[in-house]
Amino acid sequence: MANVLSTEKQITIIAALAEGSSIRAIERMTDVHRDTIMRLGVRAGQGCKRILDEKMRGLPCDDIQLDEIWGFVGKKQRNVASAEEGAKIGDAWTFCAIDRKSKAVPSFKVGKRNMETTVEFITDLAGRLKNRPQISTDGLRSYTDAIERVFGTDVDYGSIVKTYASVEPDSPERRYSSPQVIKADKYIVMGDPDEAKISTSHVERLNATTRLHMKRLNRLTLAFSKKWENFEAAVALHFAAYNFVKFHRSIHMTPAMALGVEKSFWTYADLVERVM
């Protein structure tokens, strides 16, 4: 593929993918066939996963929020036939963690919203930290069991459960807007977390950024993934660009720089050079 596309063309395509452009939009902009764009994106995403795995180690994250964001591959879960159960189609949940201070994403995991995926996600997160963290989650039950199984007593963990105002199921507010939060209850689950820091606001804001810059997660569109490996590659590309390339206004640098993982800004040319 590198012999077919110039480096400049590869950088343009990867940058457009990371900024939320669709495959067909990039095809029209660059005059490169969509199948070539797809193959390049998968290759870059796999390289991004490798880079993230290598660099995001021994991290000093001490205030972490966890959440999961819904997407689907091939078809929505309600349309998956019984004979297709177990195949890599249907619901695809992206579990992600964010460090409140640096805004970095130290770990993520794509899978089903079940105990197995949650344990794999928490295990991966724990292996990247060098200190005892405070962790905040929503009320998903599998988080409690997974965190206890992986961290044991070496964690300060609290959860926040939000109660939303009821909205008519077919109203425009229900389809296109988030419901209003009318109450938020905080619970200390284990250890000694700072109750004032028990929150999921930062990771929920991260979810909005992810939907904005990852076309496959845009709601009410046809831009969903057709293959599981394509979805995983797109997620890895997004979080690599988020950590290493994109300037975060609140910290005046990239999250990787705030963590001390990198000393300078990356461009998309730097990203392509490292992952291809």
Side-chain angles (χ1 to χ4, degrees), residues 1-272:
M1 186 180 299
N3 295 328
V4 176
L5 292 179
S6 66
T7 301
E8 290 74 17
K9 188 78 79 172
Q10 292 183 52
I11 294 169
T12 299
I13 291 170
I14 296 304
L17 287 171
E19 293 295 339
S21 297
S22 68
I23 299 291
R24 290 180 182 271
I26 299 171
E27 181 182 39
R28 292 189 292 270
M29 291 188 295
T30 62
D31 199 30
V32 175
H33 194 274
R34 56 185 174 276
D35 291 344
T36 303
I37 294 170
M38 182 70 71
R39 288 193 296 269
L40 180 66
V42 170
R43 183 181 170 195
Q46 291 170 345
C48 286
K49 185 177 180 180
R50 184 185 67 253
I51 289 293
L52 287 166
D53 188 56
E54 293 171 356
K55 287 187 170 290
M56 304 300 277
R57 297 281 180 184
L59 305 177
C61 306
D62 57 8
D63 187 357
I64 296 172
Q65 299 175 17
L66 312 181
D67 199 12
E68 63 286 343
I69 182 170
W70 173 81
F72 66 95
V73 174
K75 61 181 75 174
K76 293 183 179 178
Q77 194 65 38
R78 64 173 179 263
N79 298 322
V80 176
S82 56
E84 298 173 310
E85 291 292 344
K88 288 191 172 183
I89 57 173
D91 287 352
W93 290 87
T94 303
F95 289 72
C96 52
I98 188 171
D99 176 47
R100 183 174 188 165
K101 194 177 301 180
S102 68
K103 305 300 186 288
V105 176
S107 178
F108 62 91
K109 176 67 179 177
V110 176
K112 298 296 183 180
R113 199 182 191 212
N114 54 27
M115 189 65 191
E116 180 183 358
T117 303
T118 310
V119 170
E120 291 176 358
F121 168 57
I122 299 300
T123 301
D124 181 75
L125 173 64
R128 300 181 184 279
L129 306 179
K130 68 177 183 180
N131 55 310
R132 179 188 178 108
Q134 172 165 330
I135 295 179
S136 301
T137 73
D138 56 19
L140 184 64
R141 176 63 185 175
S142 61
Y143 280 133
T144 303
D145 297 337
I147 289 172
E148 183 177 13
R149 182 185 302 183
V150 174
F151 282 95
T153 59
D154 194 25
V155 66
D156 300 313
Y157 171 37
S159 67
I160 181 169
V161 179
K162 297 179 180 179
T163 303
Y164 297 92
S166 59
V167 182
E168 290 296 325
D170 295 326
S171 67
E173 290 81 2
R174 176 66 183 87
R175 284 179 63 90
Y176 302 110
S177 303
S178 300
Q180 179 184 3
V181 177
I182 59 175
K183 185 174 69 168
D185 297 311
K186 297 182 179 181
Y187 301 94
I188 295 175
V189 182
M190 61 185 70
D192 185 28
D194 182 347
E195 189 171 350
K197 293 183 178 179
I198 298 175
S199 171
T200 54
S201 297
H202 296 81
V203 71
E204 288 167 0
R205 180 61 183 83
L206 172 68
N207 288 347
T209 298
T210 300
R211 288 199 184 278
L212 178 67
H213 292 288
M214 189 175 159
K215 194 66 176 178
R216 295 159 197 267
L217 288 176
N218 286 180
R219 294 185 183 274
L220 302 176
T221 72
L222 296 175
F224 58 90
S225 283
K226 313 306 185 292
K227 294 181 180 179
W228 194 273
E229 68 171 0
N230 295 355
F231 186 87
E232 288 184 315
V235 171
L237 173 60
H238 166 71
F239 284 126
Y242 173 88
N243 279 329
F244 294 107
V245 178
K246 295 179 181 178
F247 175 86
H248 203 292
R249 190 173 299 174
S250 68
I251 56 175
H252 307 291
M253 61 184 74
T254 66
M257 293 169 65
L259 273 183
V261 173
E262 284 294 321
K263 295 182 179 180
S264 59
F265 293 93
W266 284 19
T267 64
Y268 281 113
D270 295 326
L271 182 67
V272 170

